Amino acid sequence: MPSHAQKFETFRSLHFTDRAFVMPNPWDAGSARILGHLGFAALATTSAGYAFSVGKRDSFAGLSREEILEDGFGAAPEACAETIRLASDIGLVGGSIEDATGNPDAPIYDLHQATERVRAAAEAAKGRSFLLTARAENYLWGKPNLVDTIDRLQAFSEAGADVLYAPGLPDLDAIATVCRAVDKPVNVVMGLKGRFFSVEELSDAGVRRISVGGSFARAALGALKRAAEEVLTAGTFTYAEDAMPDAEAASLMSPEKRASRQ
């Protein structure tokens, strides 16, 4: 089995090719096993998908650091640093720091504080096999300002981030503009809303990593809802024709057994 350092080097190298790679976001162990089996080179996480699986909303108030590792879990730079140390200690080879506050009245940290949070996280990652992504969240929180988003990403890069990410960019021109304006690999998310661009189109725009956020989890919930509605409204069960066969699902899951059922 590859060591932590080997996994990190493999993950890091994926960002420096001439084509974007897709890093999907499983939400539990079972979905991670399926996506890994399909051949994706790396897997991310999704706080939204996890929240749905435990019957919670994806929110700052609803999820703890013990459940997920996401925005830094604290306004102070040291809180971000501690999150990165904890993430590395449990074996992760990458993670992100957001500039969203969770406060609807002031949804984005000011540039100085946001940058210092990234800087502290980058310092914590030094000497560790850990790739730090910094996220500028303007477009998810009602601040569609491309100039400010680029300023933030450039500051985050200077502060030590390895990958830059601005979820929710509105179109391919904005994505290409961001890629041209920064000096680090850029991640974009597909499957949220608006137009969907192909891997080829995003690669040509300069993107080097593509994630899907909670959209795979929502696709699974959509299939569940459609199956349940069919049974309730039509009294039929044709949804089972598209379901993964039980034997295939079982073959993808862990063969480990409990030592005792007592």
Side-chain angles (χ1 to χ4, degrees), residues 56-96:
K56 296 182 178 181
R57 291 186 177 183
D58 180 26
S59 69
F60 287 83
L63 299 172
S64 68
R65 183 160 61 186
E66 286 68 30
E67 293 176 286
I68 59 166
L69 298 169
E70 189 182 71
D71 77 309
F73 285 91
E78 178 50 36
C80 297
E82 178 64 10
T83 293
I84 297 305
R85 287 191 287 268
L86 290 170
S88 178
D89 287 347
I90 63 172
L92 300 183
V93 296
S96 63

Short mmCIF file of all heavy atoms in Angstrom, two decimals, residues 56-96:
data_model
loop_
_atom_site.label_atom_id
_atom_site.label_comp_id
_atom_site.label_asym_id
_atom_site.label_seq_id
_atom_site.Cartn_x
_atom_site.Cartn_y
_atom_site.Cartn_z
N LYS A 56 -29.02 16.28 8.16
CA LYS A 56 -28.76 17.66 8.57
C LYS A 56 -28.64 18.55 7.36
O LYS A 56 -28.45 18.08 6.24
CB LYS A 56 -27.46 17.74 9.38
CG LYS A 56 -27.47 16.98 10.70
CD LYS A 56 -26.14 17.18 11.43
CE LYS A 56 -26.14 16.48 12.77
NZ LYS A 56 -24.86 16.69 13.49
N ARG A 57 -28.73 19.85 7.60
CA ARG A 57 -28.42 20.81 6.55
C ARG A 57 -26.92 21.04 6.51
O ARG A 57 -26.23 20.94 7.51
CB ARG A 57 -29.13 22.14 6.82
CG ARG A 57 -30.64 22.08 6.68
CD ARG A 57 -31.23 23.47 6.83
NE ARG A 57 -32.67 23.47 6.62
CZ ARG A 57 -33.42 24.56 6.64
NH1 ARG A 57 -32.85 25.75 6.85
NH2 ARG A 57 -34.71 24.48 6.44
N ASP A 58 -26.44 21.38 5.32
CA ASP A 58 -25.03 21.74 5.17
C ASP A 58 -24.88 23.18 5.65
O ASP A 58 -25.20 24.12 4.94
CB ASP A 58 -24.62 21.62 3.71
CG ASP A 58 -23.16 21.99 3.48
OD1 ASP A 58 -22.36 21.87 4.42
OD2 ASP A 58 -22.83 22.40 2.36
N SER A 59 -24.43 23.35 6.88
CA SER A 59 -24.34 24.70 7.44
C SER A 59 -23.24 24.76 8.48
O SER A 59 -22.81 23.75 9.04
CB SER A 59 -25.66 25.10 8.10
OG SER A 59 -25.88 24.34 9.27
N PHE A 60 -22.77 25.98 8.74
CA PHE A 60 -21.76 26.18 9.77
C PHE A 60 -22.28 25.75 11.13
O PHE A 60 -21.54 25.23 11.96
CB PHE A 60 -21.37 27.66 9.82
CG PHE A 60 -20.53 28.11 8.67
CD1 PHE A 60 -21.13 28.46 7.46
CD2 PHE A 60 -19.16 28.18 8.76
CE1 PHE A 60 -20.36 28.88 6.39
CE2 PHE A 60 -18.38 28.60 7.69
CZ PHE A 60 -18.99 28.95 6.50
N ALA A 61 -23.58 25.97 11.37
CA ALA A 61 -24.15 25.66 12.67
C ALA A 61 -24.42 24.18 12.84
O ALA A 61 -24.44 23.67 13.97
CB ALA A 61 -25.45 26.45 12.87
N GLY A 62 -24.66 23.47 11.72
CA GLY A 62 -25.12 22.10 11.82
C GLY A 62 -24.06 21.04 11.87
O GLY A 62 -24.33 19.90 12.27
N LEU A 63 -22.82 21.38 11.45
CA LEU A 63 -21.78 20.37 11.34
C LEU A 63 -20.55 20.80 12.14
O LEU A 63 -20.14 21.95 12.09
CB LEU A 63 -21.39 20.16 9.88
CG LEU A 63 -22.51 19.68 8.96
CD1 LEU A 63 -22.04 19.71 7.51
CD2 LEU A 63 -22.97 18.28 9.33
N SER A 64 -19.95 19.85 12.83
CA SER A 64 -18.79 20.15 13.66
C SER A 64 -17.50 19.72 12.96
O SER A 64 -17.51 18.98 11.98
CB SER A 64 -18.89 19.39 14.99
OG SER A 64 -18.76 17.99 14.76
N ARG A 65 -16.37 20.18 13.49
CA ARG A 65 -15.08 19.77 12.94
C ARG A 65 -14.86 18.28 13.12
O ARG A 65 -14.15 17.65 12.33
CB ARG A 65 -13.94 20.56 13.59
CG ARG A 65 -12.58 20.21 13.00
CD ARG A 65 -11.54 21.27 13.27
NE ARG A 65 -11.29 21.46 14.68
CZ ARG A 65 -10.49 22.41 15.17
NH1 ARG A 65 -9.89 23.25 14.33
NH2 ARG A 65 -10.30 22.55 16.45
N GLU A 66 -15.45 17.70 14.15
CA GLU A 66 -15.33 16.26 14.35
C GLU A 66 -16.01 15.48 13.22
O GLU A 66 -15.67 14.34 12.95
CB GLU A 66 -15.93 15.85 15.70
CG GLU A 66 -15.07 16.22 16.91
CD GLU A 66 -15.00 17.72 17.12
OE1 GLU A 66 -15.97 18.44 16.79
OE2 GLU A 66 -13.95 18.20 17.60
N GLU A 67 -16.99 16.11 12.57
CA GLU A 67 -17.70 15.46 11.47
C GLU A 67 -17.04 15.73 10.12
O GLU A 67 -16.90 14.84 9.29
CB GLU A 67 -19.16 15.94 11.44
CG GLU A 67 -19.97 15.50 12.63
CD GLU A 67 -21.38 16.07 12.60
OE1 GLU A 67 -21.53 17.28 12.87
OE2 GLU A 67 -22.31 15.33 12.27
N ILE A 68 -16.65 16.96 9.90
CA ILE A 68 -16.04 17.34 8.61
C ILE A 68 -14.90 18.31 8.86
O ILE A 68 -14.78 18.91 9.92
CB ILE A 68 -17.07 17.99 7.66
CG1 ILE A 68 -17.66 19.26 8.31
CG2 ILE A 68 -18.16 17.03 7.28
CD1 ILE A 68 -18.39 20.13 7.34
N LEU A 69 -14.08 18.46 7.85
CA LEU A 69 -13.00 19.46 7.88
C LEU A 69 -13.21 20.35 6.67
O LEU A 69 -13.07 19.93 5.54
CB LEU A 69 -11.64 18.77 7.80
CG LEU A 69 -11.30 17.82 8.95
CD1 LEU A 69 -10.06 17.01 8.61
CD2 LEU A 69 -11.09 18.60 10.23
N GLU A 70 -13.56 21.64 6.91
CA GLU A 70 -13.92 22.46 5.75
C GLU A 70 -13.39 23.87 5.82
O GLU A 70 -12.28 24.14 5.35
CB GLU A 70 -15.44 22.47 5.57
CG GLU A 70 -15.88 23.12 4.27
CD GLU A 70 -17.37 23.14 4.17
OE1 GLU A 70 -18.00 23.91 4.90
OE2 GLU A 70 -17.91 22.42 3.34
N ASP A 71 -14.12 24.80 6.44
CA ASP A 71 -13.78 26.21 6.28
C ASP A 71 -12.63 26.65 7.17
O ASP A 71 -12.16 27.77 7.06
CB ASP A 71 -15.01 27.09 6.58
CG ASP A 71 -15.28 27.20 8.08
OD1 ASP A 71 -15.34 26.15 8.74
OD2 ASP A 71 -15.41 28.33 8.57
N GLY A 72 -12.15 25.79 8.05
CA GLY A 72 -11.11 26.16 9.00
C GLY A 72 -11.59 26.06 10.44
O GLY A 72 -10.82 25.97 11.37
N PHE A 73 -12.92 26.09 10.60
CA PHE A 73 -13.56 25.92 11.90
C PHE A 73 -13.06 26.92 12.93
O PHE A 73 -12.62 26.57 14.01
CB PHE A 73 -13.44 24.48 12.40
CG PHE A 73 -14.37 23.57 11.67
CD1 PHE A 73 -13.96 22.91 10.55
CD2 PHE A 73 -15.69 23.43 12.07
CE1 PHE A 73 -14.83 22.11 9.82
CE2 PHE A 73 -16.58 22.64 11.37
CZ PHE A 73 -16.14 21.97 10.24
N GLY A 74 -13.13 28.17 12.55
CA GLY A 74 -12.80 29.24 13.47
C GLY A 74 -12.34 30.46 12.70
O GLY A 74 -11.68 30.35 11.67
N ALA A 75 -12.69 31.62 13.22
CA ALA A 75 -12.28 32.85 12.55
C ALA A 75 -10.79 33.11 12.68
O ALA A 75 -10.17 33.70 11.79
CB ALA A 75 -13.08 34.04 13.12
N ALA A 76 -10.20 32.66 13.78
CA ALA A 76 -8.79 32.94 14.03
C ALA A 76 -7.89 32.10 13.14
O ALA A 76 -8.18 30.93 12.87
CB ALA A 76 -8.46 32.66 15.49
N PRO A 77 -6.77 32.67 12.68
CA PRO A 77 -5.83 31.89 11.88
C PRO A 77 -5.38 30.60 12.55
O PRO A 77 -5.24 29.58 11.87
CB PRO A 77 -4.67 32.87 11.67
CG PRO A 77 -5.32 34.22 11.69
CD PRO A 77 -6.40 34.09 12.73
N GLU A 78 -5.18 30.63 13.85
CA GLU A 78 -4.71 29.42 14.54
C GLU A 78 -5.74 28.30 14.46
O GLU A 78 -5.37 27.11 14.43
CB GLU A 78 -4.38 29.72 16.00
CG GLU A 78 -3.95 28.52 16.82
CD GLU A 78 -2.84 27.69 16.17
OE1 GLU A 78 -1.95 28.25 15.51
OE2 GLU A 78 -2.89 26.45 16.32
N ALA A 79 -7.02 28.63 14.41
CA ALA A 79 -8.04 27.59 14.26
C ALA A 79 -7.87 26.89 12.92
O ALA A 79 -8.01 25.66 12.82
CB ALA A 79 -9.44 28.20 14.37
N CYS A 80 -7.56 27.66 11.87
CA CYS A 80 -7.32 27.06 10.55
C CYS A 80 -6.08 26.18 10.58
O CYS A 80 -6.07 25.08 10.01
CB CYS A 80 -7.16 28.15 9.51
SG CYS A 80 -8.62 29.18 9.29
N ALA A 81 -5.04 26.66 11.25
CA ALA A 81 -3.81 25.87 11.35
C ALA A 81 -4.07 24.54 12.06
O ALA A 81 -3.59 23.49 11.62
CB ALA A 81 -2.75 26.67 12.09
N GLU A 82 -4.86 24.58 13.11
CA GLU A 82 -5.17 23.35 13.86
C GLU A 82 -5.97 22.38 13.00
O GLU A 82 -5.75 21.17 13.04
CB GLU A 82 -5.93 23.70 15.14
CG GLU A 82 -6.36 22.50 15.97
CD GLU A 82 -5.19 21.70 16.53
OE1 GLU A 82 -4.03 22.17 16.44
OE2 GLU A 82 -5.43 20.61 17.08
N THR A 83 -6.89 22.91 12.21
CA THR A 83 -7.66 22.06 11.31
C THR A 83 -6.75 21.33 10.32
O THR A 83 -6.91 20.14 10.08
CB THR A 83 -8.71 22.89 10.56
OG1 THR A 83 -9.69 23.36 11.49
CG2 THR A 83 -9.41 22.06 9.49
N ILE A 84 -5.79 22.05 9.77
CA ILE A 84 -4.86 21.44 8.81
C ILE A 84 -4.02 20.37 9.51
O ILE A 84 -3.80 19.28 8.96
CB ILE A 84 -3.98 22.50 8.15
CG1 ILE A 84 -4.82 23.48 7.34
CG2 ILE A 84 -2.90 21.84 7.28
CD1 ILE A 84 -5.72 22.84 6.31
N ARG A 85 -3.55 20.65 10.70
CA ARG A 85 -2.76 19.65 11.43
C ARG A 85 -3.59 18.40 11.70
O ARG A 85 -3.10 17.27 11.52
CB ARG A 85 -2.24 20.24 12.74
CG ARG A 85 -1.10 21.24 12.55
CD ARG A 85 -0.46 21.60 13.87
NE ARG A 85 -1.32 22.45 14.68
CZ ARG A 85 -1.27 23.78 14.68
NH1 ARG A 85 -0.41 24.41 13.89
NH2 ARG A 85 -2.08 24.48 15.44
N LEU A 86 -4.83 18.58 12.12
CA LEU A 86 -5.70 17.44 12.38
C LEU A 86 -5.97 16.64 11.10
O LEU A 86 -5.96 15.41 11.12
CB LEU A 86 -7.02 17.91 12.99
CG LEU A 86 -6.95 18.46 14.42
CD1 LEU A 86 -8.28 19.12 14.79
CD2 LEU A 86 -6.62 17.35 15.41
N ALA A 87 -6.22 17.36 10.00
CA ALA A 87 -6.48 16.69 8.74
C ALA A 87 -5.29 15.86 8.29
O ALA A 87 -5.42 14.71 7.85
CB ALA A 87 -6.84 17.72 7.66
N SER A 88 -4.10 16.43 8.42
CA SER A 88 -2.89 15.71 8.04
C SER A 88 -2.65 14.51 8.95
O SER A 88 -2.27 13.43 8.49
CB SER A 88 -1.69 16.65 8.08
OG SER A 88 -0.49 15.98 7.77
N ASP A 89 -2.90 14.70 10.23
CA ASP A 89 -2.65 13.62 11.19
C ASP A 89 -3.52 12.39 10.96
O ASP A 89 -3.12 11.28 11.29
CB ASP A 89 -2.87 14.14 12.63
CG ASP A 89 -1.76 15.06 13.10
OD1 ASP A 89 -0.70 15.11 12.44
OD2 ASP A 89 -1.97 15.75 14.12
N ILE A 90 -4.72 12.59 10.40
CA ILE A 90 -5.58 11.42 10.16
C ILE A 90 -5.35 10.82 8.78
O ILE A 90 -6.04 9.89 8.38
CB ILE A 90 -7.08 11.76 10.33
CG1 ILE A 90 -7.54 12.80 9.31
CG2 ILE A 90 -7.37 12.22 11.76
CD1 ILE A 90 -9.04 13.02 9.30
N GLY A 91 -4.39 11.37 8.01
CA GLY A 91 -4.00 10.76 6.76
C GLY A 91 -4.45 11.44 5.49
O GLY A 91 -4.18 10.94 4.40
N LEU A 92 -5.13 12.58 5.60
CA LEU A 92 -5.52 13.30 4.39
C LEU A 92 -4.30 13.93 3.72
O LEU A 92 -3.36 14.33 4.40
CB LEU A 92 -6.55 14.38 4.72
CG LEU A 92 -7.86 13.93 5.36
CD1 LEU A 92 -8.80 15.11 5.55
CD2 LEU A 92 -8.54 12.85 4.54
N VAL A 93 -4.32 14.02 2.40
CA VAL A 93 -3.21 14.63 1.68
C VAL A 93 -3.59 15.99 1.10
O VAL A 93 -2.82 16.59 0.35
CB VAL A 93 -2.67 13.71 0.57
CG1 VAL A 93 -2.10 12.44 1.15
CG2 VAL A 93 -3.76 13.40 -0.46
N GLY A 94 -4.75 16.49 1.46
CA GLY A 94 -5.16 17.80 1.00
C GLY A 94 -6.41 18.26 1.72
O GLY A 94 -7.12 17.47 2.34
N GLY A 95 -6.64 19.56 1.65
CA GLY A 95 -7.83 20.13 2.27
C GLY A 95 -7.92 21.60 1.91
O GLY A 95 -7.01 22.16 1.29
N SER A 96 -9.02 22.24 2.28
CA SER A 96 -9.25 23.63 1.86
C SER A 96 -9.62 24.53 3.03
O SER A 96 -10.15 24.09 4.04
CB SER A 96 -10.36 23.68 0.80
OG SER A 96 -11.59 23.25 1.33
#
